[in-house]
């Protein structure tokens, strides 16, 4: 049986998502599906007033930091490809890439510490965020997919 990602990919290729109601428009989240029904009114009031619980803000900050780190790593990889094609010295290119990788690993270490602290703050285990695997992220940038640890 294909995994869920494969099923979604096939459905997209077959155009099964082309005529969905609201396609191309922002999703209207009137109710947060991850919040217990007893908490809905409190979350709605906070949201309408422009506030979020501290752990929710922390989660947003973590995701923003992670996206910035990923973007920086992707840019470094793109630079190495461009410079390599332009005939730049391989030693210089390798050195710059290694600096980018070291910086990325340091950023992920800091992000993972924030994730650890965040996971202690959240009210329910389902709100916890998994730690970031720096090596898997680097592999995705280099090869387009994570390394298969089962091989």
């Amino acid at each position: 049986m294909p995994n869920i990602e494969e099923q979604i990919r096939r459905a997209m290729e077959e155009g099964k998502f082309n005529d969905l109601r609201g396609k191309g428009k922002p999703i209207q989240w009137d109710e947060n599906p991850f919040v217990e029904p007893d908490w809905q009114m409190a979350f709605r009031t906070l949201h309408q007033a422009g506030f979020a619980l501290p752990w929710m803000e922390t989660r947003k900050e973590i995701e923003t930091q992670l996206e910035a780190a990923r973007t920086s790593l992707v840019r470094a990889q793109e630079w190495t490809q461009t410079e390599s094609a332009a005939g730049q010295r391989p030693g210089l290119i390798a050195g710059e890439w290694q600096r980018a990788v070291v910086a990325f690993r340091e950023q992920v270490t800091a992000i993972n510490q924030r994730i650890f602290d965040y996971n202690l703050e959240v009210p329910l285990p389902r709100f916890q965020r998994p730690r970031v695997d720096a090596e898997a992220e680097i592999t995705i940038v280099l090869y387009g997919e994570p390394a298969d640890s089962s091989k």
Side-chain angles (χ1 to χ4, degrees):
M1 178 174 201
N3 64 25
I4 190 70
E5 288 86 8
E6 180 66 22
Q7 292 175 357
I8 291 171
R9 186 188 59 75
R10 273 198 221 134
M12 288 173 65
E13 288 172 357
E14 294 170 6
K16 293 185 178 178
F17 296 119
N18 290 348
D19 297 324
L20 294 177
R21 182 174 42 90
K23 180 181 176 191
K25 298 178 184 170
I27 297 174
Q28 298 298 318
W29 293 108
D30 294 328
E31 299 291 328
N32 184 337
F34 303 109
V35 173
E36 298 292 328
D38 296 343
W39 285 87
Q40 286 290 354
M41 182 185 289
F43 280 95
R44 187 178 321 109
T45 303
L46 285 169
H47 177 73
Q48 289 171 349
F51 294 101
L53 294 174
W55 61 268
M56 291 177 165
E57 293 297 329
T58 300
R59 174 69 182 244
K60 288 179 190 177
E61 291 168 6
I62 289 169
E63 298 304 329
T64 300
Q65 281 182 312
L66 180 56
E67 190 57 37
R70 285 175 174 154
T71 299
S72 180
L73 188 66
V74 167
R75 285 184 181 152
Q77 175 60 9
E78 290 170 350
W79 178 88
T80 61
Q81 290 173 340
T82 301
E83 293 303 307
S84 180
Q88 187 61 263
R89 294 183 327 219
L92 173 68
I93 294 170
E96 289 300 318
W97 172 248
Q98 286 307 312
R99 279 189 275 285
V101 168
V102 167
F104 179 77
R105 287 182 181 134
E106 289 172 355
Q107 290 170 327
V108 168
T109 298
I111 291 168
N112 280 335
Q113 182 58 53
R114 287 204 70 197
I115 290 171
F116 178 81
D117 295 340
Y118 163 82
N119 286 343
L120 293 174
E121 293 178 17
V122 296
L124 297 170
R126 69 177 173 191
F127 295 123
Q128 290 187 344
R129 195 216 187 277
R131 294 170 58 99
V132 179
D133 181 344
E135 301 313 310
E137 296 280 338
I138 293 166
T139 301
I140 290 169
V141 169
L142 288 173
Y143 306 109
E145 60 185 46
D148 187 356
S149 59
S150 65
K151 291 183 181 178

